[in-house]
Amino acid sequence: MASAREPLLTAHGVVKRFGHVQALSGADFTAYPGEVVALIGDNGAGKSTLVNVLSGVLSPDAGEVRLDGEPVRFSGPMDAQRHGVETVYQDLSLAPDLDAAANLYLGREILRGGLLGRIGVLDRPAMRREAVRAFAELGVELKDVTAAVTTLSGGQRQSVAVARAVAFAHKVIFMDEPTAALGVVQRARVLETVRRVADRGICVVLISHNMPEVLSVADRVEVLRLGRRVASYTAADTTIEELVGAMTGSLDGPNGGKEAEDGR
Amino acid sequence: MTAESEKAPAAVDSRAGVPDWLRRAATLNELWTFVILLALVVFFTIAAPGKFFTTYDITQIAVNAAIYLVLGVGMTFVIITAGIDLSIGSVLVLAAVAAGEYNIHHGGPASGWGTVAFSAVIALAVGTAWGALQGVVVATGKVPPLIVTLGGLGAALGIAELATGGQDPAGAASTHLQNSLGFGKVLGIPWMVILAAVVTAIFGAVLGSTRFGEHTLAIGSNPTAVRRAGIPVGRQLVKVYGLMGLLAGLGAVMWLASYGTTSIAGHSTDNLKVITAVVLGGTSLFGGRGSVLGTVIGVFIPAVLTTGLIVIGVQQYWQDVAVGVVLVVAVYIDQMRRKTRERA
Ligand SMILES: Nc1ncnc2c1ncn2[C@@H]1O[C@H](COP(=O)(O)OP(=O)(O)OP(=O)(O)O)[C@@H](O)[C@H]1O
Ligand SMILES: [Mg+2]
């Protein structure tokens, strides 16, 4: 089914070294618009490193990244954001003392018109209005957008971080273990949000160690081991045992995945 | 105490709803200190009827507080970034010496308005440059602000002493400067107070409603998040420490205007006084939270205490004891609040 569509984001042969440690040794990655693709792998497999390369935090030592078929080389996270690529960091990356609206617009503040705007005066009413709208769109209820983020529950904080990515991404959102610290209810909400975002045509790349969660929310699963992609599955056609086998390498050699496209 | 604080004007807007209790707690520090300030004024007014809280006293308190207020405004920004600036007293002295030396060589006490203006510019420039330089070092992230500005404290004072041989030079201030900014009044309000009020109002607005203020708060709250959001953290820190230096330079001009001398040896505890005032005003030493309004309250508590104790005939050194105790309590409360927050 993947063959019918053009991939939105691809990586080929990405290499990244940290001193003597080779975190990525020729990793590939493919993502299509409007899908949720899970990126899984053992601890140290290189998932975070790959996401950092794809989101402009790290620059690769070798390899190619293409967005919409065009080769790109992001100079930093801001550059990636300009291309419509957003990241929800594992630590959420929020300023806890600021309110939800301010966090949503951190670094992209809305300024007043005219002279006041020229000297950097914020248009808080506009930011709050937009924030309420953005949260509502995600089905998130915040009683008070002017409350400091620190006073919110873990799930609400998660929602603010997700809303921040969703509000500005028009292509790809990376989420590094977004549900790791959440309770059952909040986890369901975040996954619901992930689904809703993908349905708007945005590609969501989800890193997770939780296999049932991966199978329930993802359309496809890409498996990373020792710095390279070893398999790629359609979520509906695979099992937890198969995923674990591919992650640990117990299944086999180079062509573990039954749907491995170019997984070598 | 709760009943009392509900009556305070600052409490009005925070009564929106019960679930906002945490939010209310966030503004509590400012409120508490305001209540303390109010209580002090009431106490001294009752203890010395007709003697305290006269127009003369209020004016005197405000004039004494003016320079500390200007320094406190800058320090509020610095502490909000989770930084500190110990060098302010020395930077003030260095700026005063630079401006004073220029004045001495261009007419001394009898120098004209042109010289007054240019020496003021020198003071502001020296302060800004020194502050920004410290900011550059802080921005590298290699040396903590405490050490950078401790080094700055020694170095700035040393340069000032080298330039003057350690003696306050005579004729550092023009009589024009002293008679205008120093002792002049408009409608009974001293120029010193007006200047401090204007600076406070401007930078209060900058902190509360501009992108510059927002980024300052965000850096103190979570520098990594700010960096990832594409905000140049280093550049912002240079600006914040530069602003502190600028205001120390302004403090130097105000000092020269009031006292007519550089007082090289007289500023070694400015940093402690100002940091105390800022922290009393509810600005968190851990960064991310604070307000200029709080600093105004924090500056006036020691000022009211000093005058009040003199008026009721108590040794004013009790002021140091009282402020010390209140300071520790204020930081204790701030710590507790952090802990509660982290558990949430
Ligand atoms: N900044 C760094 N400096 C040195 N080594 C690093 C750095 N970042 C990652 N590594 C190394 O690269 C390898 C891959 O790390 P990475 O964080 O990408 O793994 P991961 O798949 O995200 O693991 P986890 O599931 O534990 O989050 C590891 O061996 C790690 O030690
Ligand atoms: Mg990781």
Side-chain angles (χ1 to χ4, degrees):
Chain A
M1 82 184 211
S3 51
R5 294 175 296 167
E6 282 297 306
L8 177 61
L9 179 71
T10 59
H12 281 291
V14 174
V15 175
K16 183 70 196 177
R17 278 179 225 96
F18 297 104
H20 293 299
V21 182
Q22 186 147 15
L24 295 176
S25 36
D28 300 324
F29 184 74
T30 317
Y32 297 89
E35 74 169 0
V36 178
V37 51
L39 180 60
I40 65 169
D42 237 341
N43 292 123
K47 304 182 295 296
S48 296
T49 309
L50 181 59
V51 165
N52 283 341
V53 166
L54 294 177
S55 62
V57 175
L58 295 172
S59 62
D61 298 326
E64 187 189 52
V65 178
R66 281 173 182 267
L67 186 65
D68 273 334
E70 296 288 317
V72 286
R73 210 178 172 94
F74 300 132
S75 61
M78 274 317 268
D79 193 22
Q81 286 168 20
R82 272 191 290 275
H83 285 83
V85 178
E86 294 280 335
T87 309
V88 179
Y89 294 91
Q90 188 161 4
D91 62 7
L92 300 187
S93 212
L94 298 171
D97 299 292
L98 302 189
D99 64 32
N103 268 286
L104 195 66
Y105 285 98
L106 187 61
R108 295 182 264 223
E109 293 82 0
I110 302 177
L111 299 180
R112 296 267 283 270
L115 185 66
L116 286 178
R118 294 268 286 284
I119 59 170
V121 176
L122 301 170
D123 191 347
R124 281 197 203 280
M127 292 201 286
R128 291 191 172 142
R129 232 175 14 245
E130 285 299 301
V132 169
R133 203 188 48 72
F135 292 131
E137 203 167 297
L138 292 177
V140 178
E141 295 145 35
L142 285 186
K143 280 199 201 74
D144 183 3
V145 282
T146 65
V149 161
T150 176
T151 65
L152 303 179
S153 76
Q156 289 174 321
R157 256 177 273 176
Q158 190 89 60
S159 306
V160 173
V162 172
R164 185 176 149 74
V166 172
F168 297 99
H170 43 270
K171 297 219 170 105
V172 186
I173 299 179
F174 294 102
M175 299 193 183
D176 199 344
E177 307 198 33
T179 59
L182 296 187
V184 182
V185 178
Q186 284 97 337
R187 175 184 300 250
R189 288 212 78 130
V190 168
L191 294 181
E192 230 171 81
T193 305
V194 164
R195 218 36 274 182
R196 222 180 338 230
V197 170
D199 291 344
R200 300 193 335 195
I202 293 167
C203 168
V204 182
V205 181
L206 187 71
I207 295 186
S208 177
H209 286 289
N210 183 328
M211 292 308 126
E213 173 181 303
V214 163
L215 289 183
S216 74
V217 74
D219 299 306
R220 288 191 315 109
V221 184
E222 302 227 328
V223 186
L224 218 55
R225 183 155 60 86
L226 301 175
R228 46 175 73 210
R229 178 170 69 187
V230 292
S232 164
Y233 301 98
T234 302
D237 305 336
T238 189
T239 61
I240 292 180
E241 291 70 32
E242 199 171 22
L243 294 180
V244 172
M247 276 165 60
T248 56
S250 67
L251 268 191
D252 55 45
N255 256 347
K258 56 182 165 190
E259 280 196 24
E261 292 146 62
D262 52 349
R264 305 200 64 243
Chain B
M1 247 339 177
T2 333
E4 205 173 333
S5 48
E6 298 254 304
K7 274 180 227 142
V12 172
D13 67 328
S14 51
R15 299 186 52 184
V18 186
D20 285 348
W21 68 271
L22 256 169
R23 215 180 122 211
R24 235 184 313 172
T27 58
L28 200 69
N29 232 353
E30 217 170 273
L31 210 66
W32 263 96
T33 33
F34 185 72
V35 169
I36 291 173
L37 180 62
L38 221 61
L40 284 174
V41 171
V42 169
F43 172 78
F44 286 123
T45 312
I46 294 170
K51 280 204 274 173
F52 186 76
F53 222 54
T54 60
T55 326
Y56 173 78
D57 275 335
I58 296 171
T59 313
Q60 216 39 50
I61 289 173
V63 169
N64 291 341
I67 293 176
Y68 292 121
L69 189 55
V70 166
L71 296 175
V73 168
M75 190 66 82
T76 307
F77 279 79
V78 171
I79 292 183
I80 282 175
T81 67
I84 198 93
D85 191 344
L86 298 180
S87 72
I88 52 169
S90 298
V91 176
L92 189 154
V93 166
L94 182 63
V97 164
E101 289 291 338
Y102 180 83
N103 191 67
I104 290 165
H105 293 102
H106 292 81
S111 66
W113 282 110
T115 304
V116 169
F118 197 75
S119 55
V121 170
I122 289 177
L124 300 182
V126 167
T128 308
W130 192 275
L133 182 69
Q134 293 183 151
V136 168
V137 182
V138 169
T140 64
K142 301 283 193 282
V143 190
L146 188 84
I147 300 302
V148 173
T149 58
L150 186 60
L153 177 150
L157 189 61
I159 294 172
E161 285 170 336
L162 282 170
T164 57
Q167 301 295 314
D168 292 314
S174 162
T175 45
H176 280 316
L177 179 66
Q178 292 208 265
N179 289 334
S180 55
L181 179 60
F183 311 126
K185 290 183 182 183
V186 185
L187 303 172
I189 305 170
W191 272 114
M192 291 280 283
V193 175
I194 293 173
L195 181 59
V198 168
V199 167
T200 305
I202 289 176
F203 288 101
V206 167
L207 182 60
S209 30
T210 69
R211 184 161 56 186
F212 183 86
E214 194 92 330
H215 289 180
T216 306
L217 286 155
I219 285 176
S221 202
N222 185 352
T224 314
V226 175
R227 211 167 279 123
R228 285 171 182 160
I231 298 163
V233 172
R235 208 183 306 162
Q236 181 78 12
L237 285 174
V238 172
K239 285 183 197 163
V240 167
Y241 283 86
L243 171 65
M244 178 74 257
L246 171 73
L247 294 178
L250 183 60
V253 176
M254 293 168 81
W255 186 272
L256 284 172
S258 294
Y259 301 98
T261 170
T262 50
S263 306
I264 293 171
H267 292 275
S268 56
T269 59
D270 283 7
N271 50 12
L272 297 184
K273 284 186 186 135
V274 170
I275 292 166
T276 302
V278 171
V279 173
L280 278 182
T283 296
S284 172
L285 275 174
F286 309 98
R289 198 173 47 227
S291 74
V292 168
L293 178 64
T295 298
V296 175
I297 300 168
V299 165
F300 276 100
I301 285 178
V304 165
L305 262 177
T306 310
T307 313
L309 291 175
I310 293 171
V311 168
I312 64 170
V314 175
Q315 281 234 13
Q316 59 160 314
Y317 303 115
W318 280 108
Q319 184 248 139
D320 299 331
V321 179
V323 169
V325 171
V326 176
L327 175 69
V328 173
V329 171
V331 174
Y332 178 81
I333 292 171
D334 186 31
Q335 275 272 30
M336 293 305 290
R337 191 135 32 88
R338 287 263 151 177
K339 291 238 175 72
T340 334
R341 179 183 108 176
E342 269 149 27
R343 247 182 278 125

